[in-house]
Amino acid sequence: MTLLARLASDVQLMFRRPPRQQYGALCYRVRNGDKLEVLLMTSRDTGRWVIPKGWPMNGKCAHEVAAQEAMEEAGVKGSVEMETLGAYTYPKVLRDGVRVSCKVQVYPLEVTGIAKNFKEKGERTIEWVSFDEAAGRVREPELRHLFLAFKRKLTDRLSAKAAKQIPAE
């Protein structure tokens, strides 16, 4: 590598910003004992299918931010896990037009209730779909992977729970 090429590479690295951190909730429910559903909603700006997510908040842990965003954006509340499922990245255009990379840590939230009124009601389309349908709708490959990996984890949990409930002969 020439000195000029190396210098150009170093300058480029100096101006590259690290991804901005966000926290998101993978909101799910189990219906009829074994039917798994996940919540998807549209983004306000582009209309693409996303999960509830938002910026860090003073005084709140990451999983608490994810739960609050789920309530504000989709009107769902429930039990959020403290351990992350993983993360995905996506490009975001800020209000001033600057394009940044965002990294979203995702926390599972088992939905136990749905509010009639919430902060962003009417600003988004909200749908409950299968995990496979959700994986097909989202644009981010890493989020797609999180949906399918969590589906396997939940399926295993439900199978283990069902096996414990079967009385031994």
Side-chain angles (χ1 to χ4, degrees):
M1 180 181 275
T2 69
L3 181 60
L4 189 57
R6 185 178 175 130
L7 185 58
S9 175
D10 289 348
V11 168
Q12 192 177 31
L13 285 173
M14 280 181 6
F15 289 106
R16 186 181 303 156
R17 291 184 177 154
R20 306 268 180 105
Q21 184 67 59
Q22 290 189 312
Y23 304 111
L26 190 154
C27 305
Y28 71 96
R29 64 185 180 186
V30 182
R31 297 180 59 105
N32 303 324
D34 66 347
K35 184 179 178 194
L36 300 174
E37 293 181 324
V38 65
L39 181 139
L40 281 184
M41 61 186 199
T42 54
S43 67
R44 289 186 294 183
D45 53 356
T46 64
R48 73 187 192 289
W49 291 103
V50 297
I51 62 172
K53 63 187 170 305
W55 304 107
M57 298 175 192
N58 287 334
K60 290 199 182 287
C61 296
H63 68 282
E64 294 170 325
V65 171
Q68 183 168 331
E69 291 296 336
M71 182 59 186
E72 290 178 4
E73 295 180 357
V76 295
K77 49 191 163 190
S79 175
V80 65
E81 293 182 24
M82 294 172 67
E83 187 176 324
T84 182
L85 290 173
Y88 71 96
T89 55
Y90 76 100
K92 179 171 184 67
V93 178
L94 301 177
R95 287 188 185 118
D96 60 7
V98 174
R99 191 177 178 102
V100 297
S101 177
C102 290
K103 180 180 180 182
V104 183
Q105 278 182 276
V106 179
Y107 295 85
L109 185 145
E110 184 172 11
V111 174
T112 57
I114 301 174
K116 290 185 182 198
N117 293 306
F118 52 96
K119 188 175 180 181
E120 296 183 15
K121 183 176 182 171
E123 296 180 27
R124 305 166 184 275
T125 300
I126 297 169
E127 288 187 25
W128 286 97
V129 297
S130 71
F131 277 78
D132 292 331
E133 175 74 17
R137 287 190 188 186
V138 297
R139 291 184 188 167
E140 301 82 9
E142 297 159 311
L143 181 56
R144 192 173 296 135
H145 172 74
L146 289 176
F147 279 133
L148 298 176
F150 190 58
K151 174 190 169 191
R152 286 189 297 275
K153 186 176 181 177
L154 276 179
T155 302
D156 291 346
R157 272 191 209 168
L158 291 173
S159 295
K161 187 177 176 181
K164 285 182 183 177
Q165 293 176 349
I166 298 172
E169 291 184 38

